[in-house]
Every structure is written in C-alpha cells, then in structure tokens.
Amino acid sequence: MSQNQREKRLVRQQVMLTDSEIDQLKDWQFENRVPSMAAAIRELLRIGLTHSSDLDIGDNFTN
C-alpha cells in the first residue's frame, strides 16, 4: 500500500467546473476505468503535480 493510500483525507475542497471540463473529466474517468469522479480528480491532480516542472503554464492563471 502506497503512502497516498494510507493518508486520511481530512480536507474537502469545492471546485467550480464548466460543462466542458466536466465532460472531459468524465471521459478521462471512463477511459482510465477510475471508479469515481473524486478518484479521477485526485489522480489527475497527482499527475499534474508530478509533472508540473515539465510544463510551462506561466500566465495561464489570472484569477
């Protein structure tokens, strides 16, 4: 069992998504056979954090 699987989830975070973002998330969840939307979000977050140094996101976030 990995460290992430042993950690208790103690924080709940609300995220606002567009309809197209939800559609993309559901498609990714289905294609990768992830059991729940929450698990898909956690996995995509883990992937993004792992590879964030490889990306040039610069000024994509203005709000």
Side-chain angles (χ1 to χ4, degrees):
M1 187 176 287
S2 74
Q3 177 65 23
N4 287 342
Q5 291 171 327
R6 286 191 297 253
E7 288 185 53
K8 290 188 178 188
R9 296 186 183 103
L10 301 175
V11 177
R12 182 180 299 255
Q13 180 65 49
Q14 183 175 358
V15 178
M16 302 293 288
L17 301 171
T18 65
D19 287 339
S20 62
E21 290 169 333
I22 290 290
D23 290 342
Q24 289 178 317
L25 181 58
K26 286 180 180 178
D27 289 346
W28 189 90
Q29 176 187 353
F30 179 79
E31 290 166 7
N32 291 279
R33 299 181 180 191
V34 180
S36 69
M37 176 110 32
I41 292 169
R42 285 192 301 272
E43 182 63 14
L44 287 167
L45 180 60
R46 185 193 65 75
I47 291 167
L49 290 171
T50 300
H51 297 286
S52 64
S53 62
D54 301 337
L55 304 173
D56 181 22
I57 57 174
D59 297 323
N60 289 346
F61 303 101
T62 58
N63 53 350

